[in-house]
Amino acid sequence: MSEYKPVGCGFYDELEILAMRRQHVVIDYRDGHGLELQVEGRIDDVFSREGEEFLRLEDGPQLRLDQLIRVNGRAADSCEIG
């Protein structure tokens, strides 16, 4: 997989709020081959591991945050500068 690119702090905070409220989400993301996929469910956890950030859905996949395209229609953003 490619080098991790951190997501924006505001977007990360929104994911944590969605997890805390146990709200249903629709997530569009790119898999390791660049294919755009969609998954639905509730976010169980948002966490960091070895310098990368992830979310885990209840009874679903674990996604690296920089693979996310949209969550509930809101575009994912990056905190890269420049």
Side-chain angles (χ1 to χ4, degrees):
M1 190 161 291
S2 62
E3 184 177 334
Y4 181 72
K5 296 178 179 85
V7 297
C9 294
F11 184 69
Y12 187 95
D13 291 345
E14 286 184 38
L15 293 173
E16 287 187 317
I17 290 168
L18 289 168
M20 180 184 66
R21 292 182 178 166
R22 308 201 41 80
Q23 289 182 277
H24 183 267
V25 294
V26 177
I27 299 174
D28 297 299
Y29 69 99
R30 291 200 192 286
D31 70 5
H33 303 287
L35 182 64
E36 189 172 324
L37 302 170
Q38 187 176 81
V39 66
E40 296 184 42
R42 293 187 191 342
I43 299 172
D44 184 48
D45 194 13
V46 181
F47 62 96
S48 296
R49 181 179 65 224
E50 297 178 16
E52 298 177 343
E53 298 166 313
F54 297 86
L55 67 76
R56 181 176 40 247
L57 292 176
E58 292 179 342
D59 303 320
Q62 179 174 291
L63 303 171
R64 202 170 80 169
L65 297 191
D66 65 344
Q67 293 178 295
L68 304 183
I69 300 168
R70 286 176 296 280
V71 176
N72 288 349
R74 184 199 188 280
D77 59 356
S78 157
C79 73
E80 287 188 306
I81 298 174

